[in-house]
Structures are given as structure tokens and as C-alpha cells.
């Protein structure tokens, strides 16, 4: 069996162990105690052989020992003990690792995250489809001179207007699995002909993606995009490994439209924040720059 990858966690000081907070019902202190009890109950129900450990006759503890859960989850024994006792708060990454060790299902994992104050993952445990609101489609469709894309949380192209296809290759001609703005800009020559100076834009988009990925659920879409970026352009590993984050700032770019033979034109690229028009989508809009 392959143990979960170690997850960085604080190293508690044995002399400064936090004391339990006996707060009233409904407070974070109560939720921490409920979380600890929930983890303990599932630890005691999990047989050692289910996680690849021997079940010797001298075991007196039902289920797994605390030190076994801690080791398999990549956290310290003292820290995990305090977690079960409701003494500490911890990161989402640690809770995800502990949930994997305890073989929690989607509903149980969501309950753990909610008790800790985090957003639970979608019901299927991955990235649930997020339909583009009709109002958002109508909004970009009403922009005849402003090419626009609707992007999901991993910069997948969810919708586009006619003006976009007059400058860029038609996203409808791209297989759905490859319909991602970052992937197209780094790996498709047709997109790079439209935007010869594509590297600064990609760097900013990747910083934007990293900021979103680091603060949201680590669903399948985030993992898959990270893997594909490294596969498509392994020579840009220093980009994909960079942990710098930042918002995509408006910028003026020079675009060509080789399919129509139109002369190069300047556009301002602006990424409108999620929530514009409803839902969690963002909108990339190109506004012509008048000379």
C-alpha cells in the first residue's frame, strides 16, 4: 500500500499544548469537539488490515491507533491527538489527508470539512458541472465588437460569443477535453499566431489559476489541469512549479486574425471577477483599443 503524501503541519510544542475550550453550543469550540469525536469514532471502526497494517493479537485498541493515523496522514502524533480532543484548528490539507486515511466517503468528508469551517466538496466528490447561467450567455452575446469568453474555475472555456470566433479559432472546433484557455495558449499554434506575445498573458493567467486553486476545493479539474500543463509543456516546469499568485490585471495586447486576413488590432484584455452574471464563472473580455 502507498501511504498518503506527507502533509505539512505545525509542529506543536509539548510544553505549550492548547487547553480545551469549553465554549457554548454552536460555537467553533463545540464544532471542534464534534469534529474530534467524529474522527475518533471512524478511527476506532477502521480495521488495521484495511490500511495495510498487520492486526496482531496483542492489539488492545479497537481499530487504528492514533499514532498510526498520524503516520499515514503525514502529521505529528501530538497534533492529531489534540485534533481528536478538539483543542486545535487545522488546515484543509490536513483534514483531507486524515479523511483519506480513515477511508471516509464523500458525505463523511464533507461533514469533516464543514465542521472545520471549510466549504464541502460537490456531492460526487469531484468537480460538479457548473452550468453557465443563461443571463451570462445573453450578456456576452450582446457584445458585437467585444470578443468574450466565459471561463470556469480552472479556465476551461464554458461559452463564447460570435465576436470571439472572428478573431480567435472557434472553441467549438476544439474537443471539449482540450477546451481550456491555458492549454490552448501554450500548446496550440493557431492560438499563438493570434497572440504572438502569449507568454506574459499565460503567466498572469496561471497566477490567477493558482490563487483560485489554493483557496478552493482541490477537485479533479485542478489536478488534471496541473498534470496536463506539465505534460504539454514540460520545458515550462519552472512556471508550473511557481507558487506565485495574483489577480489577472487588464493589459493591452496586439492580436492578429490570420483566418480573416484582417490587420493586427489592439485589444484590452480584462478578466471580470466570478459572480458577474451569476454563478462562479469569470468573463474574459477583449475591448478594442481605439487609436
Amino acid at each position: 500500500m502507498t501511504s498518503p503524501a506527507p502533509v505539512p503541519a505545525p509542529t506543536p510544542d509539548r510544553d505549550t499544548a492548547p487547553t480545551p475550550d469549553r465554549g457554548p453550543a454552536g460555537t467553533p469550540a463545540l464544532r471542534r469537539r464534534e469534529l474530534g469525536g467524529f474522527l475518533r469514532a471512524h478511527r476506532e471502526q477502521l480495521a488495521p488490515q484495511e490500511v495495510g497494517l498487520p492486526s496482531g493479537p496483542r492489539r488492545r485498541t479497537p481499530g487504528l491507533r492514533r499514532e498510526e493515523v498520524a503516520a499515514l496522514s503525514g502529521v505529528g502524533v501530538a497534533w492529531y491527538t489534540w485534533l481528536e480532543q478538539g483543542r486545535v484548528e487545522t488546515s484543509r490539507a490536513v483534514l483531507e489527508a486524515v479523511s483519506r486515511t480513515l477511508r471516509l466517503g464523500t458525505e463523511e468528508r464533507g461533514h469533516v470539512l464543514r465542521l472545520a469551517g471549510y466549504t464541502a466538496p460537490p456531492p460526487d466528490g469531484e468537480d460538479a458541472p457548473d452550468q453557465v447561467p443563461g443571463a451570462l450567455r445573453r450578456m456576452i452575446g450582446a457584445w458585437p465588437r467585444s470578443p468574450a469568453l466565459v471561463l470556469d474555475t480552472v479556465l476551461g472555456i464554458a461559452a463564447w460569443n460570435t465576436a470571439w470566433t472572428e478573431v480567435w479559432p472557434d472553441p467549438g472546433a476544439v474537443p471539449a477535453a482540450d477546451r481550456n484557455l491555458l492549454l490552448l495558449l501554450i500548446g496550440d499554434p493557431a492560438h499563438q499566431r493570434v497572440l504572438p506575445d502569449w507568454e506574459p498573458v499565460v503567466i498572469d493567467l496561471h497566477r490567477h489559476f493558482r490563487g483560485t486553486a489554493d483557496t478552493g476545493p482541490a477537485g479533479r479539474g485542478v489536478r488534471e489541469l496541473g498534470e496536463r500543463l506539465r505534460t504539454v509543456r514540460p520545458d515550462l516546469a519552472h512556471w508550473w512549479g511557481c507558487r506565485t499568485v495574483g489577480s489577472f490585471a487588464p493589459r493591452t495586447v496586439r492580436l492578429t486574425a490570420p483566418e480573416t486576413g484582417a490587420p493586427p488590432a489592439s485589444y484590452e484584455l480584462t478578466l471580470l471577477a466570478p459572480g458577474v452574471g451569476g454563478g462562479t464563472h469569470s468573463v474574459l473580455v477583449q475591448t478594442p483599443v481605439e487609436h
Side-chain angles (χ1 to χ4, degrees):
M1 171 190 168
T2 302
S3 300
V7 178
T11 302
D13 185 338
R14 293 184 180 182
D15 297 328
T16 58
T19 56
D21 183 350
R22 306 294 182 184
T27 64
L30 176 61
R31 290 197 296 272
R32 287 197 300 270
R33 295 199 298 274
E34 291 177 345
L35 171 61
F38 186 83
L39 296 176
R40 181 173 61 255
H42 282 272
R43 172 176 61 81
E44 294 175 348
Q45 295 171 11
L46 191 61
Q49 56 268 28
E50 293 183 68
V51 296
L53 296 176
S55 55
R58 307 179 72 175
R59 296 181 68 97
R60 295 188 299 272
T61 303
L64 297 181
R65 301 185 180 100
R66 283 173 173 165
E67 56 266 29
E68 291 169 337
V69 174
L72 291 171
S73 303
V75 299
V77 178
W79 190 258
Y80 179 75
T81 299
W82 296 340
L83 183 61
E84 280 199 1
Q85 293 173 347
R87 296 186 177 194
V88 294
E89 296 179 351
T90 193
S91 69
R92 184 186 188 108
V94 167
L95 293 174
E96 293 278 13
V98 171
S99 296
R100 289 193 296 270
T101 296
L102 297 179
R103 301 297 191 267
L104 299 185
T106 300
E107 292 186 4
E108 290 88 355
R109 184 162 62 98
H111 184 62
V112 164
L113 294 174
R114 283 189 293 270
L115 285 175
Y118 297 105
T119 302
D124 63 357
E126 299 292 351
D127 296 307
D130 192 0
Q131 298 298 320
V132 179
L136 193 51
R137 291 181 183 275
R138 291 190 293 273
M139 182 178 76
I140 67 171
W143 297 341
R145 297 187 61 232
S146 297
L149 291 178
V150 178
L151 303 171
D152 62 23
T153 54
V154 293
L155 301 180
I157 299 175
W160 56 93
N161 61 7
T162 301
W164 181 270
T165 61
E166 293 175 352
V167 179
W168 295 87
D170 186 353
V174 177
D178 300 329
R179 206 176 291 158
N180 180 282
L181 184 58
L182 265 179
L183 289 174
L184 291 172
L185 287 177
I186 67 169
D188 180 44
H191 281 75
Q192 293 178 355
R193 284 194 294 270
V194 175
L195 178 61
D197 191 21
W198 55 270
E199 293 189 2
V201 176
V202 166
I203 291 174
D204 274 5
L205 284 173
H206 187 255
R207 288 172 178 163
H208 172 86
F209 159 70
R210 279 260 43 101
T212 302
D214 287 348
T215 57
R220 182 177 60 193
V222 171
R223 295 191 299 271
E224 286 185 350
L225 179 57
E227 292 169 359
R228 293 199 65 187
L229 291 173
R230 290 187 290 271
T231 299
V232 173
R233 291 298 300 269
D235 56 310
L236 300 179
H238 57 292
W239 288 5
W240 316 140
C242 180
R243 304 300 299 182
T244 304
V245 299
S247 300
F248 185 89
R251 62 172 61 238
T252 298
V253 295
R254 191 78 168 163
L255 304 180
T256 61
E259 299 301 324
T260 62
S266 295
Y267 289 89
E268 182 178 75
L269 290 181
T270 305
L271 190 64
L272 304 180
V276 177
T280 59
H281 295 90
S282 55
V283 176
L284 182 71
V285 58
Q286 295 175 191
T287 306
V289 175
E290 305 294 343
H291 293 285

